[in-house]
Amino acid sequence: MTTAPMIQARLPEKATHQQTRAFNQQLVLRAIYDRDATSRAEIARLTGLTRTTVSDLVTELLQGGLVHEIGRGPSSGGKAPILLSVIAEARHVMGLDLGEDVFRGAIVNLRGETVRARSLPLDGRDGDDAVELVFRLIDLLRQGDDRPLLGIGVAAPGLIDSSAGVVRSAVNLDWSDLPLGRLIGDRYGVPVSVANDSQAAALAELTFHRRLRPANMVVIRVGRGVGAGIILGGQLFQGDGSGAGEIGHTPLSADGELCRCGNVGCLETVASMRAMVAAAGRHDPAIHDEASLIAASRAGDPGVRAVVQEAGRALGIGIAGLIGTLNVRHIVLVGPAVALGPEWLAAVRDAARTSALPLLARDTLIEIGRAQEDAILLGASAHLMTEQLGLVAGRH
Ligand SMILES: [Zn+2]
């Protein structure tokens, strides 16, 4: 497995002294975070910074309460080095998953371990009412949490401009050009980051679930829609307009069904849970939601099996396109569809293998992700940590 080189983020060309210091601070913190326990000498080797600079920066991190000394490591001849580790509880992070039916939130520590979780049903709210519900969820989560809050990471469906913290378009919530980051930041006085839900799911895999972080990885979330988060060079790639990974609306066929985006034959019209529930419901009216679809699929209902296999095949063809475009060797599947069972996964793998260039497909691993239920809100937290502490390097 290839792993991301340590130093990913680049400094602006005309960086001020303060920017350089902050940048180096993040490099040092990330080196400690990634290794659980490491010495000043090893950090210097990993980051290319001088021993003196590393010592100064570590002192600041110790004073800031972000890291602590946890004893001595093995000696390599001389004096045994003092080991440093990040204090998981040093800061708490709030992650929000603004889903289509339910808004879910959690307070997590710096290792992504959930301290408390709350959720509120959307009950058809949209527009300003949905924003009010976000505030109510934040208020609920804040009650009784006494650790310093690093910030609030928000993940929402739709097109998101992360650099501006603006939801450009979330159809289900009737939000367009909503400055959600500023609204939350003004009200609570903490840093806020806003990301697309599939991109957040990718960050969760990268930050909290991979001991060896692949440099390149695509995390595909199959729920009501189909979306991907693309990790390139160890960082989330968001594209020029933050919309990278909107694979659900790439064309599968020229004469397919009408998609909710207005086009015809998008991948989502076959491969999404929404499409599968609709198609299986035509076969058996008792199938009307994701839970009944999953139950029928696992029970081996032949009509449902055909629907699920067709959906898996469509996704596999979409993945073949990604393999050909990016030559990414790690494809990770998350979202409600992973509960459909092994036949769905087999159909995805089969179609990807037979549709992609054989030499490229042979080296590609398609697997089920580890972060599932909490993937999006953990990813929202990871996005905030990335922006505030540089733990997974900076923005695109
Ligand atoms: Zn579409």
Side-chain angles (χ1 to χ4, degrees):
M1 180 186 286
T2 50
T3 52
M6 260 317 290
I7 299 167
Q8 291 289 340
R10 267 193 299 275
L11 203 52
E13 265 177 32
K14 289 179 184 164
T16 62
H17 175 71
Q18 211 168 10
Q19 281 175 318
T20 309
R21 193 168 179 83
F23 178 84
N24 289 341
Q25 177 81 274
Q26 293 195 346
L27 284 184
V28 169
L29 182 61
R30 187 180 168 192
I32 302 170
Y33 184 82
D34 281 353
R35 270 159 193 77
D36 276 346
T38 188
S39 68
R40 289 169 177 80
E42 195 184 4
I43 297 167
R45 190 175 58 73
L46 289 164
T47 58
L49 299 170
T50 67
R51 297 280 285 261
T52 315
T53 303
V54 168
S55 261
D56 284 353
L57 293 169
V58 165
T59 302
E60 274 179 23
L61 290 171
L62 287 165
Q63 284 166 351
L66 269 169
V67 305
H68 58 171
E69 294 179 338
I70 54 164
R72 289 187 183 272
S75 160
S76 54
K79 202 173 156 195
I82 296 171
L83 297 179
L84 298 153
S85 179
V86 167
I87 304 171
E89 294 293 330
R91 304 282 188 278
H92 278 173
V93 181
M94 189 185 295
L96 305 181
D97 167 9
L98 308 185
E100 299 207 9
D101 294 322
V102 176
F103 284 180
R104 306 170 70 231
I107 300 268
V108 304
N109 66 18
L110 293 178
R111 289 288 174 200
E113 291 154 346
T114 303
V115 177
R116 55 158 66 200
R118 296 284 183 274
S119 61
L120 291 172
L122 195 53
D123 288 335
R125 288 181 187 82
D126 59 14
D128 290 346
D129 293 342
V131 175
E132 280 300 321
L133 194 67
V134 175
F135 294 157
R136 269 181 49 202
L137 182 57
I138 294 172
D139 291 340
L140 268 179
L141 285 162
R142 276 163 47 102
Q143 278 169 24
D145 193 53
D146 57 356
R147 303 301 306 159
L149 190 66
L150 185 66
I152 302 173
V154 186
L159 279 179
I160 312 290
D161 180 347
S162 285
S163 58
V166 169
V167 179
R168 289 170 63 200
S169 168
V171 176
N172 182 61
L173 296 166
D174 195 23
W175 288 347
S176 72
D177 292 324
L178 177 78
L180 189 61
R182 185 171 56 72
L183 291 174
I184 297 173
D186 285 352
R187 190 177 170 106
Y188 296 98
V190 292
V192 179
S193 71
V194 187
N196 164 273
D197 52 5
S198 299
Q199 293 176 348
L203 280 177
E205 279 292 323
L206 184 75
T207 311
F208 300 127
H209 293 277
R210 301 274 145 179
R211 293 313 300 161
L212 276 172
R213 291 179 176 162
N216 304 317
M217 172 170 74
V218 178
V219 177
I220 298 174
R221 187 169 187 281
V222 184
R224 285 206 197 178
V226 178
I230 301 170
I231 306 290
L232 295 178
Q235 298 184 57
L236 180 65
F237 174 77
Q238 293 185 293
D240 288 336
S242 301
E246 282 288 339
I247 61 166
H249 301 285
T250 51
L252 183 67
S253 70
D255 56 354
E257 283 188 38
L258 181 66
C259 181
R260 56 181 174 150
C261 74
N263 289 337
V264 163
C266 292
L267 176 61
E268 219 176 85
T269 63
V270 181
S272 66
M273 289 296 273
R274 187 198 308 260
M276 281 184 260
V277 168
R282 286 192 287 272
H283 160 78
D284 175 359
I287 296 169
H288 60 280
D289 60 7
E290 291 181 2
S292 49
L293 173 77
I294 289 167
S297 173
R298 299 191 79 95
D301 178 305
V304 173
R305 176 191 284 173
V307 168
V308 166
Q309 286 188 337
E310 179 58 21
R313 201 182 69 82
L315 183 63
I317 292 171
I319 289 174
L322 283 173
I323 294 171
T325 309
L326 298 170
N327 186 201
V328 166
R329 291 194 176 132
H330 288 82
I331 309 273
V332 179
L333 305 175
V334 299
V338 303
L340 287 167
E343 288 192 10
W344 174 75
L345 179 61
V348 173
R349 284 176 167 160
D350 233 41
R353 198 184 58 236
T354 53
S355 312
L357 202 59
L359 266 179
L360 298 183
R362 198 185 59 197
D363 296 332
T364 304
L365 182 69
I366 300 174
E367 58 178 351
I368 302 290
R370 280 178 250 181
Q372 290 298 339
E373 268 285 284
D374 295 338
I376 295 174
L377 58 87
L378 284 178
S381 312
H383 189 236
L384 189 280
M385 284 167 53
T386 300
E387 299 213 330
Q388 293 304 309
L389 300 177
L391 288 182
V392 203
R395 291 183 190 147
H396 60 278

